[in-house]
């Protein structure tokens, strides 16, 4: 105290402003934390409210019934089977294509205009609105290639949509593998492809899987591009089963079948004027959120584990 | 003085050379990294490459298994004869060269696979797939690398669970499995503690019974302890090449003398 | 001796294998290249389809009418083909979203980058990521059924006063379909995007700059605002631009909650259709392919793509700039 008394007035003023500025610092820390908390809590509250509204409808019957004009009888059987089949096609196309493209860009491409062109396109496609992919599907797959409003068209569309995600995560995963392992393989006489196939790809597979799951979780919630190709909302039948009881046992007819998916079913119910159907929509939304959260959570967990587990 | 040099060099030329470098120039793009290198690597001996960092010793080592081919813009001029075949020639397959010339790197770099698979990989890429043969080679190589007793009960374990010194011995076993004619060591102990270092050095002096060794080292003591012949490189040039004792005790050049006396480097 | 004969036999076999190996490697190289090129092909296909169908459209409708007419009613008689109402809807919802997301995202980014502990960051970032992964149709549901009723309730307090003051701007009650609710929800949705890109940009600012500021006696907040924020500004603005691009292209939230009626207004309390919502509305109906009504959605789509392309290019160069500095 005595010291402050004897200090020149200038310093006193500075000290006053220091404590004021420290207060500002503390205030901002609180504001920042509150901002994050409020934003997160609002969204979590919305999710929770949706789950509470939809919960009573989440019965066995809901998962095993077709859509219906009676809200209590309506269910999501055709929707979730449609979603599952579309995801199957999406994964079957996006994973090999995206991983191959990622390998090309990371391990093969020399720095020239061609690889620069591909890279610019990947970045740009990641920013194209999803509904534009729907227009592509409508004009190209549907009108030009005559694939129809089918599971195959939907799977192809969503595969192109998530392709940039798969490519970017594949590249990041490959880049994380130290060069010393590439040289070790080469030094033993491996060719470039042997090096990639025997070593780099297996070591990167965990991180690639993370990207694939994030991509698929995005695809499973996509609505707009599938509305554009005319995915029907009232589908009271299932596509032909892929496995048949008689020869040749495996059938690909389901690829050409009309379909609906969960987000479209939900959109349909939201758009209905009757408030009862909103409960169905909430239930479908809960299932959808549950699926995407589970997929994303699994991916985040995997990434965490691989970051921890890497020792090289 | 001059007479003495010529005798020691003539004694060199009497040796059975495993590999011979003739007028080698090497370029990273426009920069010349190696200038007019001439060197003899005698069979079943240890030859050391020493010199201050940046002198091109690792660059030279990596010419012997054509590692530079992996990166664009690199260019060789001159010859490296391996059993009288110029391996730098365009029609020579670099992969075939690497199957005959193994390499052990600065830092242990085992594959994140099992111990067994690490050693077996070189055989697999050569298309040697017989189970018995691979088992036999894996055991032999691990024995030669003085690792067999430590790992024989856990060949299926991940190689990453081994200690640093064990990992480097595993990398040596991996390099031995294909019965190469020449093994290149690129500062193999620089990332290891003194105990692991001495075990690797013991291993190398035993290995020269079976195989020709070319080693890059930054440690003069290591070169003096291990090698039969030593080459001193400076600024991309080969200043001096001689029997190790001669090079260390009666160096020809002032730079060599300064370096081996520890005055710079 | 036997050893060396084994070696040489190995070698001869190697040379015979070389040709087939090289062929295989080349084939793989080509296949991988084609996979990489599929991205270029996708872009080409998108542009081809959009331009092809739009060309048919512009053969019938003049580009001047398309860009300047204030009436968008292709499905009525007489039809109107002016894109302005859809652009107005898109701009308004985007502005509302930015009004929410820019302050929230920036404050969150400054907090996470300059104030929060590493531990808190590790908890918050995955949660934000999870929330950003929720399907947009669900966000649309939130906007229509939770946020709009809440806004209606809040609005009912100042409404009598406001509507007597400026009756043209403020209706007596907030409609069930409006642009405010979906705009706010959209803002919440893009907040994680903006905060995570901005945070990356701020964390890329070298510690030495911060230390220089601290050494001069600045507080953390002063350092954050006067030193870190300006240094990272091009990266942060890239985040804003990508946020705009996302908001403009967002479809389901506005399709569900903003109404599907084109309406030339910038008042967020009104209902209106965006470009994306219009495409959805047409797709839901049963339009015969090849008609001019059907082609309108491609013309609308082309507008959308050109706009987001512009955003992406600006964002790309901005984020490159901030990477180059450090």
């Amino acid at each position: 105290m005595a010291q402050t008394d004897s200090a020149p007035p200038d310093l006193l003023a500075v000290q006053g402003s220091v404590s004021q500025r420290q207060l500002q610092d503390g205030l901002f820390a609180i504001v920042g934390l509150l901002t994050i908390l409020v934003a997160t809590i609002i969204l979590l509250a919305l999710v929770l409210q949706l789950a509470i509204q939809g919960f009573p409808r989440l019965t066995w019957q809901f998962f095993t019934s077709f859509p219906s004009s009676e809200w209590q009888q309506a269910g999501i059987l055709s929707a979730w089977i449609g979603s599952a089949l579309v995801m199957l096609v999406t994964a079957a196309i996006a994973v090999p294509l995206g991983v191959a493209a990622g390998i090309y860009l990371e391990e093969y491409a020399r720095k020239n205009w061609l690889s620069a062109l591909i890279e610019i396109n990947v970045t740009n496609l990641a920013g194209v609105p999803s509904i534009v992919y729907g227009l592509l599907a409508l004009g190209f797959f549907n009108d030009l290639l005559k694939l129809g409003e089918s599971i195959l068209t939907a799977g192809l569309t969503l595969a192109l949509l998530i392709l940039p995600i798969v490519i970017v995560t594949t590249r990041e995963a490959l880049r994380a593998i130290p060069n010393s392992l590439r040289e070790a393989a080469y030094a033993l006489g491996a060719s470039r492809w042997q090096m990639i196939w025997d070593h780099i790809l297996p070591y990167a597979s965990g991180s690639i899987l993370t990207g694939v799951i994030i991509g698929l979780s995005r695809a499973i919630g996509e609505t707009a591009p599938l509305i554009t190709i005319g995915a029907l909302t009232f589908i009271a039948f299932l596509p032909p089963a892929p496995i048949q009881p008689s020869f040749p046992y495996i059938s690909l007819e389901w690829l050409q079948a009309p379909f609906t998916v969960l987000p479209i079913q939900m959109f349909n119910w939201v758009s209905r004027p009757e408030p009862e159907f909103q409960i169905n929509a909430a239930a479908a939304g809960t299932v959808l959120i549950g699926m995407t959260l589970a997929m994303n959570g699994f991916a985040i967990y995997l990434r965490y584990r691989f970051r921890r587990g890497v020792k090289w | 003085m001059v007479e003495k040099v010529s005798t020691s060099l003539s004694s060199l030329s009497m040796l059975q050379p495993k590999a011979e470098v003739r007028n080698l120039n090497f370029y990273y793009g426009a920069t010349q990294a190696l200038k007019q290198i001439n060197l003899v690597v005698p069979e079943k001996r240890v030859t050391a490459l020493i010199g201050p960092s940046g002198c091109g010793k690792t660059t030279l080592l990596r010419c012997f298994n054509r590692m530079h081919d992996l990166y664009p813009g690199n260019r060789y001029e001159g010859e490296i004869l391996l059993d009288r075949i110029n391996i730098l020639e365009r029609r020579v397959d670099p992969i075939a060269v690497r199957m005959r010339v193994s390499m052990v790197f600065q830092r242990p770099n085992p594959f994140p696979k099992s111990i067994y698979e690490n050693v077996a990989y070189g055989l697999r890429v050569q298309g040697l797939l017989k189970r018995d043969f691979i088992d036999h080679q894996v055991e032999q190589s691990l024995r030669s690398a003085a690792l067999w007793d430590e790992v024989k009960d856990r060949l299926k374990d991940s190689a990453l669970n081994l200690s640093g010194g064990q990992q480097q011995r595993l990398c040596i076993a991996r390099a031995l499995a294909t019965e190469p004619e020449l093994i290149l060591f690129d500062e193999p102990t620089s990332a290891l503690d003194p105990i692991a270092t001495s075990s690797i050095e013991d291993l190398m002096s035993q290995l020269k019974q079976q195989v020709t060794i070319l080693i890059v080292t930054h440690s003069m003591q290591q070169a003096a302890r291990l090698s039969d012949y030593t080459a001193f490189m400076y600024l991309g040039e080969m200043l001096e090449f001689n029997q190790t004792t001669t090079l260390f005790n009666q160096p020809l050049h002032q730079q060599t003398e300064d370096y081996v006396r520890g005055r710079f480097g | 001796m036997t050893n060396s004969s084994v070696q040489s036999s190995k070698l001869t076999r190697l040379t015979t294998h070389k040709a087939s190996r090289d062929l295989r490697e080349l084939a793989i190289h080509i296949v991988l290249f084609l996979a990489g090129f599929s991205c270029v092909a996708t872009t080409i296909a998108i542009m081809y389809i959009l331009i092809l169908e739009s060309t048919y459209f512009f053969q019938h409708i003049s580009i001047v009418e398309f860009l300047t007419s204030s009436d968008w009613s292709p499905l009525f008689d007489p039809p109107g083909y002016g894109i302005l109402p859809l652009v107005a809807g898109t701009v308004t919802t985007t502005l509302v979203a930015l009004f929410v997301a820019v302050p929230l995202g920036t404050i969150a980014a400054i907090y996470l980058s300059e104030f929060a502990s590493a531990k808190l960051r590790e908890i918050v970032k995955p949660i934000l990521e999870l929330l950003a992964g929720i399907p947009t149709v669900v966000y649309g549901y939130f906007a229509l059924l939770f946020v709009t009723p809440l806004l209606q309730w809040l609005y009912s307090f100042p409404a009598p006063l406001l509507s007597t003051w400026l009756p043209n701007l403020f209706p007596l009650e907030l409609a069930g379909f409006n642009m405010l609710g979906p705009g706010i929800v959209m803002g919440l949705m893009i907040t994680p995007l903006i905060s995570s890109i901005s945070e990356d940009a701020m964390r890329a600012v070298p510690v030495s700059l911060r230390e220089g500021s601290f050494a001069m006696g600045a507080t953390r907040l002063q350092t954050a605002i006067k030193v870190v924020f300006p240094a990272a500004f091009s990266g942060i603005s890239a985040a804003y631009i990508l946020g705009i691009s996302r908001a403009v292209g967002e479809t389901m939230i506005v399709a569900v909650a903003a109404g599907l009626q084109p309406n030339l207004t910038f008042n967020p309390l009104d209902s209106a259709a965006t470009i994306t919502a219009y495409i959805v509305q047409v797709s839901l109906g049963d339009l015969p392919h090849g008609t001019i009504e059907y082609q309108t959605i491609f013309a609308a789509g082309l507008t959308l793509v050109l706009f987001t392309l512009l955003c992406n290019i600006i964002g790309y160069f901005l984020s490159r700039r901030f990477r180059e500095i450090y």
Side-chain angles (χ1 to χ4, degrees), chain C residues 23-272:
Chain C
L23 198 65
R24 193 190 63 194
E25 291 286 320
L26 182 69
I28 288 167
H29 194 135
I30 291 171
V31 167
L32 294 176
F33 170 75
L34 289 177
F37 201 75
S38 67
C39 291
V40 183
T42 307
T43 310
I44 293 173
I46 288 176
M47 292 320 282
Y48 172 75
I49 289 294
L50 291 182
I51 290 171
L52 182 77
E53 298 283 345
S54 301
T55 321
Y56 294 137
F57 174 78
F58 285 118
Q59 275 165 3
H60 294 94
I61 313 302
S62 82
I63 202 155
V64 178
E65 185 191 345
F66 181 71
L67 290 179
T68 58
S69 162
S70 58
D71 175 31
W72 180 266
S73 50
L75 308 181
F76 292 101
D77 196 29
Y81 294 106
I83 191 122
L84 283 182
L86 299 182
V87 171
T90 304
V91 167
T92 311
T93 48
T94 302
L95 284 179
V96 173
L98 290 179
F99 201 74
V100 173
V102 165
L104 282 184
T106 311
I107 291 175
I110 293 178
Y111 179 75
L112 284 177
S113 149
E114 306 297 313
F115 286 81
S117 65
K119 205 169 177 188
L120 185 71
R121 239 193 330 256
E122 273 195 23
I123 298 169
V124 170
K125 290 198 90 171
I127 294 179
L128 290 179
E129 260 178 79
L130 279 180
L131 291 174
I134 293 176
T136 54
V137 65
V138 176
Y139 278 109
Y141 179 95
F142 292 159
L144 181 68
L145 292 165
F146 299 148
V147 176
T148 295
L150 184 70
L151 291 173
Q152 282 173 324
W153 178 71
L154 287 174
Y155 184 73
S156 67
F157 297 106
L161 211 72
L162 290 171
S163 58
T164 44
W165 178 42
L166 282 172
N168 288 334
L169 217 56
F170 296 103
L172 251 176
E173 27 178 66
L174 188 61
F177 290 114
N178 60 67
M179 293 189 278
L180 188 62
I184 290 174
V185 171
M186 208 148 81
L188 285 176
M189 189 188 74
I190 58 176
T191 299
L193 175 84
I194 290 187
S195 87
S196 83
I197 299 178
S198 308
E199 192 211 328
D200 287 346
M202 287 197 258
R203 298 238 273 160
V205 173
V207 183
S208 58
L209 269 182
R210 290 190 184 87
E211 283 174 347
S213 166
F214 287 136
M216 282 161 59
T219 61
R220 276 213 261 188
L221 183 61
Q222 285 173 318
T223 308
I225 292 173
K226 300 236 171 82
V227 176
V228 179
F229 188 85
F233 187 70
S234 60
I236 294 170
S237 49
Y240 296 161
I241 300 241
L242 292 180
I244 294 174
S245 161
R246 268 293 279 284
V248 166
E250 175 44 48
T251 309
M252 293 318 289
I253 299 179
V254 280
V256 168
L260 291 168
Q261 288 312 309
N263 189 355
L264 182 56
T265 173
F266 290 98
N267 185 350
L269 303 177
D270 288 341
S271 85

Side-chain angles (χ1 to χ4, degrees), chain A residues 4 10-20:
Chain A
T4 17
D10 277 4
L11 209 57
L12 270 178
V14 168
Q15 240 177 24
S17 94
V18 164
S19 57
Q20 195 195 336

